[in-house]
Amino acid sequence: EFSTMDSDQLPVPMSSPSSPVRRHVLLASFLAGGTSGLIASYGLLRWSEGGPEFVRRQAEARRQKLPERVILVRHGQSEGNIDKTLFKKKGDNLMELTELGSRQAKAVGRRIKGVVGDKKVHFYVSPFQRTLQTARNIIFSNFDPDQVVHVSVDPRIREQEFGNLQGDNFIGLRE
């Protein structure tokens, strides 16, 4: 059961006293860990019920949800890597892989397959064409369909853009 504090609208357990120490623990943990931080803080408030073993069980349950391994892959060679003038007429997000870039993606896929074996995998991919093509080459040339649990296109992992800082104009700006 939770009630809401008027000052900042953070949920606090109904049974918690209004001591500032407990509110600060809850606030600090909530800000540091999101909802799971809130749950951990609630666990601290219930310390007397379960002691350190309760907190250990909570921490282990959170650890079990983490992936065994995270592998970061940069896209293969793209059109923009070999011809900088393309940025004048084609958007950065539309640059595609070259033939070499496709071969590079298939090769890195073989290396990843060697690391993960037959374990289930999840792919998180930027929405840029070259990264989508890299992911397709990795997946379709190396993994069985039932091994790939999920493929998610996530714009939060794309390159940060600060304008078109490539090509002849940018070279002059750097000097």
Side-chain angles (χ1 to χ4, degrees):
E1 246 182 276
F2 289 90
S3 66
T4 303
M5 294 177 5
D6 294 333
S7 61
D8 53 8
Q9 300 300 304
L10 289 175
V12 294
M14 294 281 263
S15 60
S16 73
S18 59
S19 74
V21 173
R22 289 186 183 228
R23 284 188 182 176
H24 285 284
V25 168
L26 178 65
L27 176 62
S29 294
F30 183 80
L31 292 175
T35 306
S36 57
L38 176 65
I39 292 167
S41 297
Y42 183 67
L44 290 175
L45 294 173
R46 294 181 54 201
W47 181 269
S48 61
E49 295 175 26
E53 187 55 36
F54 174 79
V55 174
R56 271 194 285 281
R57 283 194 315 270
Q58 295 292 77
E60 182 57 32
R62 289 172 58 191
R63 236 185 329 274
Q64 299 264 334
K65 293 181 181 182
L66 295 174
E68 179 182 334
R69 178 178 289 114
V70 174
I71 300 173
L72 302 175
V73 176
R74 186 176 189 272
H75 59 79
Q77 182 189 64
S78 71
E79 299 169 318
N81 295 132
I82 59 172
D83 183 1
K84 303 290 186 205
T85 64
L86 281 177
F87 289 103
K88 293 178 182 178
K89 51 190 168 198
K90 192 172 189 179
D92 187 30
N93 63 318
L94 300 176
M95 295 291 174
E96 297 187 19
L97 290 182
T98 62
E99 190 59 41
L100 174 61
S102 292
R103 287 194 309 269
Q104 290 171 333
K106 290 173 185 174
V108 80
R110 286 190 294 276
R111 292 182 68 189
I112 293 170
K113 177 71 171 175
V115 170
V116 300
D118 292 328
K119 293 181 181 175
K120 302 285 185 188
V121 293
H122 299 257
F123 285 88
Y124 297 88
V125 185
S126 156
F128 284 30
Q129 282 302 311
R130 58 188 174 269
T131 58
L132 294 169
Q133 291 169 332
T134 299
R136 280 193 292 268
N137 281 309
I138 289 171
I139 294 167
F140 293 131
S141 64
N142 296 286
F143 292 92
D144 296 325
D146 59 334
Q147 187 177 1
V148 178
V149 176
H150 183 76
V151 177
S152 175
V153 178
D154 192 333
R156 294 175 296 176
I157 60 173
R158 69 179 183 76
E159 294 177 12
Q160 298 300 307
E161 295 175 355
F162 302 101
N164 189 356
L165 304 176
Q166 301 173 66
D168 298 334
N169 291 341
F170 183 62
I171 293 170
L173 291 174
R174 286 192 292 190
E175 294 171 353

